[in-house]
Amino acid sequence: IEALEQKYNLKFDALIIDIEHGEYELFEEYLIPTKKFLQFETMIIEFHLSHHTPNCDQRREVIFDTLAQSTNY
């Protein structure tokens, strides 16, 4: 995200993702630890629920809880 912002001299304020089970890692390994998610005014995320993603229900709930606590929703 930072590389694109620097390359094009802009600041993203919306996040729209449908990355086929990679959304969990994106949040768990990057957006939440760096608090980068706080820069977005709007987020549209498709969370995939299936046997391809271990513990997806619990992981999704942790992500939702973190977002809600951090953004006052």
Side-chain angles (χ1 to χ4, degrees), residues 4-5 10 13-14 16 25 27 31 41 43-44 52 56 59 65 67-68:
L4 290 172
E5 289 177 332
L10 54 85
D13 63 359
I16 302 171
E25 288 80 12
F27 276 92
L31 293 175
E41 293 178 23
M43 290 190 283
I44 301 171
H52 297 290
C56 60
R59 293 168 73 189
D65 289 346
L67 296 177

Side-chain angles (χ1 to χ4, degrees), residues 18-34:
D18 176 9
I19 53 177
E20 305 303 323
H21 308 287
E23 62 276 11
Y24 297 94
E25 288 80 12
L26 178 64
F27 276 92
E28 294 166 341
E29 297 174 13
Y30 176 67
L31 293 175
I32 290 174
T34 63

Side-chain angles (χ1 to χ4, degrees), residues 45-63:
I45 307 144
E46 182 177 0
F47 280 95
H48 295 86
L49 308 175
S50 78
H51 64 280
H52 297 290
T53 305
N55 304 313
C56 60
D57 290 329
Q58 296 88 349
R59 293 168 73 189
R60 186 185 69 247
E61 289 305 314
V62 169
I63 292 168

